[in-house]
Amino acid sequence: MSTSDQDQSVDTPIPAPDAGAAAETEAEAETETEAETEAEVEDRRLTPRQARRLRIALSSVGMVAMAVVLGLRIASRSSVLVVGVYGLALILCGIVIELSRNGRTRLGSWLLAVGLVAAIGSDWLLIP
C-alpha cells in the first residue's frame, strides 16, 4: 500500500471511475458538437476572396445580359434613351467589378442590385 492509500479511512467510499468519466465524456461531447456546428456555420460563409470573385462573376453576367438586351432593343427601336439607360447599366456593372476587386463587396452588391432594378424599371417606364 502506498502512503496515499493509508491516509484514507476505511469507511469513505471510493468513487467509481465510470461515473466521473461518463460525466466528463458527456460534457466533452456537448462541447465538441457545439464546436462542430459553429465550424459548419463558418464553413458555409464565404471568405472575402470568394465573395469578391462571386461579385465579379455576377457583375460580368449582368454586363453581358445588359449588352445583349441593349443590342436587341437597338435593333427593334433605335433611341438615345435606350442607349442611355443600358449604357449606364453597363457602366454600373464595370464600376461594381472594380469595387469588388478593391474589396468593397457590400457596396458593390447594393449598387448592382439597385442599379439593375433602376435600369429595368427605367426601361419599363420610360421607353415605349
Side-chain angles (χ1 to χ4, degrees):
M1 278 186 142
S2 68
T3 314
S4 62
D5 291 338
Q6 293 173 358
D7 291 339
Q8 291 181 354
S9 70
V10 178
D11 295 330
T12 58
I14 298 174
D18 293 335
E24 290 176 8
T25 305
E26 289 177 16
E28 289 175 2
E30 289 176 10
T31 307
E32 288 177 8
T33 55
E34 290 174 4
E36 289 173 1
T37 55
E38 289 176 9
E40 288 175 6
V41 170
E42 289 177 6
D43 288 343
R44 286 187 228 154
R45 290 184 181 171
L46 294 176
T47 64
R49 178 174 287 190
Q50 290 172 334
R52 284 193 299 268
R53 287 183 179 170
L54 177 65
R55 200 76 57 234
I56 289 170
L58 289 175
S59 297
S60 300
V61 168
M63 187 178 273
V64 169
M66 289 298 137
V68 168
V69 171
L70 175 62
L72 293 173
R73 294 289 285 179
I74 286 177
S76 67
R77 181 177 203 96
S78 182
S79 169
V80 175
L81 194 55
V82 170
V83 174
V85 167
Y86 287 104
L88 287 175
L90 286 169
I91 291 170
L92 177 73
C93 289
I95 289 171
V96 171
I97 289 172
E98 282 301 311
L99 284 172
S100 296
R101 286 183 55 212
N102 292 325
R104 306 294 297 185
T105 54
R106 288 185 192 147
L107 177 63
S109 299
W110 283 105
L111 259 171
L112 184 64
V114 169
L116 292 181
V117 167
I120 292 169
S122 299
D123 183 24
W124 185 62
L125 290 173
L126 299 176
I127 302 170

